[in-house]
Amino acid sequence: MNRDRRVKLSRRMSYLLRHNPAAGNLRPDERGRVDLGELAEALGVPEEAVREVVARDPKGRFVIERNAIRATYGHSIDVEAPGEAVQPPAVLYHGTPRRAVEAILREGLRPMGRQMVHLSVTRQEARVVGRRRDTEPVILRIDARAAHDAGIEFRRSGSVYLAPRVPPEFIAVDS
Ligand code: HQG
């Protein structure tokens, strides 16, 4: 499969596994897992194509566990928090459109349409995330260690860190 086809298939997998499994007649378990063969059937592709997307995904978006597959992050559907509770690095980043900054500095980062807030390890990754919504996104610097010390639980899953929320006192515009 070329990259273009992989990206297209990956998007459809994300949609079913994160947001709308019912659209593929899929019934995820409490961790968001569905049967790999059933997902492939819902997508109308061979199981091997799904496996290739998972193996080559640059962000670790999916994991296969025995004959089941799940998304590692990004869920809007109610799943048990993915990944594992960890002590985060001292600093994490979050890329957001300019128009959201004022509200975020006032009320903190909220999960909005998803189950968790998503944080990036590097400024570069945060920029890519923010560019989905704005040509000149703002990079926010998250004092993750202090937030963790204050009792906010961080999880690591796929290539991202997850938190239920980040209060404003731990957020600054990256200089
Ligand atoms: C913003 C994709 C106003 C937040 C990405 C973001 C990521 C607020 C938007 C992953 C707010 C939510 C997640 C507040 C947060 N007031 N706006 N209080 N708190 N926001 O898509 O982090 O490539 O749900 O800044 O790359 O953009 O699909 O979250 O702009 O890794 O694998 O509300 O999804 O990964 O947007 O993206 P999203 P996100 P994939």
Side-chain angles (χ1 to χ4, degrees), residues 18 59 61 73 94 96 107-108 110 114 132-133:
R18 293 174 177 176
K59 284 181 76 175
R61 290 177 173 91
Y73 64 88
H94 180 88
T96 196
E107 62 185 33
R110 299 196 285 121
R114 304 190 200 256
R132 289 153 52 241
R133 299 214 164 78

Side-chain angles (χ1 to χ4, degrees), residues 29 31 33-39 47-48 50-51 54 62-70:
D29 70 8
R31 298 185 56 212
R33 288 178 297 205
V34 306
D35 183 82
L36 181 57
E38 287 178 20
L39 176 66
E47 199 176 296
E48 209 35 57
V50 175
R51 286 185 185 277
V54 175
F62 314 100
V63 286
I64 292 173
E65 294 162 344
R66 290 144 94 56
N67 58 343
I69 180 170
R70 64 180 171 85

Side-chain angles (χ1 to χ4, degrees), residues 73-92:
Y73 64 88
H75 302 86
S76 60
I77 56 168
D78 186 14
V79 292
E80 264 175 35
E84 51 186 63
V86 292
Q87 166 140 13
V91 174
L92 289 167

Side-chain angles (χ1 to χ4, degrees), residues 85-170:
V86 292
Q87 166 140 13
V91 174
L92 289 167
Y93 298 93
H94 180 88
T96 196
R98 285 167 287 185
R99 60 183 175 275
V101 172
E102 192 192 322
I104 292 172
L105 292 178
R106 191 174 61 239
E107 62 185 33
L109 281 168
R110 299 196 285 121
M112 310 304 279
R114 304 190 200 256
Q115 295 285 318
M116 304 284 259
V117 169
H118 290 61
L119 302 167
S120 303
V121 174
T122 66
R123 291 184 171 88
Q124 290 84 338
E125 281 169 30
R127 184 167 304 282
V128 173
V129 173
R131 280 184 68 94
R132 289 153 52 241
R133 299 214 164 78
D134 188 350
T135 52
E136 286 179 54
V138 174
I139 308 305
L140 301 173
R141 188 177 193 277
I142 311 301
D143 192 347
R145 178 172 295 157
H148 182 256
D149 288 349
I152 304 284
E153 192 181 276
F154 286 77
R155 305 183 77 83
R156 168 115 222 200
S157 195
S159 61
V160 305
Y161 281 84
L162 304 168
R165 66 194 172 89
V166 181
E169 57 266 36
F170 305 113

